Amino acid sequence: MLKVGLQLYTLREELEQDFEGTIRKVAELGYSGVEFFHYFGRTAGQVKALLEETGLVAVGAHRPYDAMLNDTEQEIRFNLEIGNRNLIVPYLTEEQRNWPEVAAGLRTIGEKCKAAGAVLSYHNHDFEFTEKVDGQPAFDYLFEAVPAEQLQVEMDTCWVYYGGYDPAEYIRKYAGRLPIIHLKDLKKKEDGSPETVVLGEGEVDLAAIIEAAASAGVEWAVVEQDFCSRSPLGSVADSLNWIKTYENQGGSIHV
C-alpha cells in the first residue's frame, strides 16, 4: 500500500514567504511526508524540529547534481540530521548531459551515500527518454551503468508518459529498485507542450501507475505539480482529494 507525500517544489512561492506555516498546512491537508528541494536558510535542527512537530516524514530531498558531486559529505550530513536518507539528483542541464560522465559521477556519489547509510536516487524528466545512448533511452543507460547498490530509481511517471513510454511498464521493469515514484498528471496543449494539472484532470492513467507501483513494492507516491494554474495549496489539496476518492474505491494507496 503506497503512502502519500508531497514534493515541496509545488509550493515554492509559499515556502519562501512562510516556510514553517506552509509545512504545517501540508500536514493539516493530510499528507504523510514531504520531499524537500530547498531549506530556505533553515538549519538541519530547525527542519528536524518542524518535522517532529507536524509528524511529517522526510521522504527525500532533491539536491542539485553539482552540489551532490562537490559537497557530498555536507549534503549527506544535513539530510541524515533531519531524518532523511534519500538524496535525489533531480535534473541535469543540457551542458551536464554527457551520459558516461554522469554515470561515473553518480557511481562516486552513490558509493559515498552507501558508506554513510544514505541512499542516492535519480529523478527523471522526459529528456532521459528522448535522448539515446547506444540506441537505448538515456534513462536505461544510466541505471545499467550504475549498480543498484549505488543508485536507486525515483521515477517521475508523468514524464515517462510524456517521453513516449508506458509508466506502468517501466515501473514493472524497475521493481525492486524503485522506492519512490512521482505521481503527476498533465494535459498536452495544442502545440504538444505539457501542462501539469491536478491529479485526475489530465490524461495520465494514474490508476494503472498506482497499482503497478503497489505491486512493485514502491513505498511512497509523491505528488508534484510543476506549475499550477490556480492556487498551489488548493491544487495539492485537490490532488489529495482525488487520491482519497481512489483509495475509497479500493485503490492500493493510503492517505
Side-chain angles (χ1 to χ4, degrees):
M1 190 73 73
L2 292 171
K3 294 179 284 189
V4 183
L6 177 69
Q7 167 49 254
L8 292 171
Y9 180 76
T10 311
L11 304 177
R12 53 199 175 274
E13 293 179 4
E14 290 79 1
L15 288 162
E16 189 168 10
Q17 293 169 8
D18 183 2
F19 182 82
E20 288 78 11
T22 301
I23 298 290
R24 291 181 182 115
K25 287 177 183 175
V26 171
E28 289 167 7
L29 288 175
Y31 283 92
S32 298
V34 288
E35 191 174 75
F36 292 96
F37 74 100
H38 198 290
Y39 302 104
F40 296 90
R42 271 60 176 187
T43 66
Q46 289 172 320
V47 175
K48 181 181 180 181
L50 185 59
L51 292 171
E52 289 175 349
E53 173 202 324
T54 57
L56 289 165
V57 174
V59 178
H62 281 194
R63 302 301 297 151
Y65 177 61
D66 284 345
M68 288 299 300
L69 197 59
N70 299 320
D71 300 308
T72 316
E73 290 80 4
Q74 180 180 332
E75 292 286 346
I76 293 171
R77 186 167 54 251
F78 186 103
N79 279 280
L80 290 179
E81 188 173 336
I82 70 170
N84 171 46
R85 294 178 64 244
N86 294 305
L87 288 147
I88 302 148
V89 172
Y91 183 76
L92 297 170
T93 66
E94 288 188 28
E95 294 75 23
Q96 290 170 330
R97 295 175 204 168
N98 179 316
W99 296 108
E101 286 185 6
V102 170
L106 292 173
R107 283 193 294 269
T108 299
I109 301 165
E111 192 57 37
K112 290 179 179 178
C113 286
K114 179 185 170 187
V119 176
L120 178 68
S121 297
Y122 180 86
H123 163 273
N124 63 281
H125 287 75
D126 61 312
F127 61 80
E128 291 89 350
F129 292 89
T130 57
E131 295 187 22
K132 302 293 196 294
V133 183
D134 300 329
Q136 67 177 334
F139 183 96
D140 295 303
Y141 168 80
L142 273 186
F143 291 109
E144 283 183 12
V146 187
E149 61 267 22
Q150 294 174 346
L151 187 67
Q152 295 284 290
V153 182
E154 182 182 70
M155 190 180 296
D156 191 311
T157 57
C158 181
W159 290 124
V160 176
Y161 167 80
Y162 187 69
Y165 292 82
D166 182 338
E169 283 187 11
Y170 256 83
I171 287 168
R172 289 187 283 270
K173 180 175 182 178
Y174 284 93
R177 192 178 180 175
L178 184 58
I180 306 168
I181 63 164
H182 271 203
L183 197 60
K184 184 187 299 181
D185 208 349
L186 65 71
K187 293 177 182 176
K188 293 195 186 95
K189 300 179 185 178
E190 287 187 8
D191 63 2
S193 63
E195 177 186 1
T196 53
V197 296
V198 166
L199 295 182
E201 295 185 3
E203 59 191 70
V204 177
D205 190 345
L206 300 171
I209 288 167
I210 289 169
E211 297 311 317
S215 296
V218 175
E219 184 178 2
W220 286 94
V222 173
V223 173
E224 183 182 33
Q225 190 172 341
D226 297 15
F227 297 97
C228 303
S229 60
R230 52 188 191 262
S231 155
L233 269 167
S235 296
V236 299
D238 290 344
S239 285
L240 192 62
N241 286 333
W242 181 91
I243 291 172
K244 289 175 181 175
T245 299
Y246 183 73
E247 178 187 9
N248 290 336
Q249 294 169 348
S252 301
I253 195 164
H254 178 65
V255 178

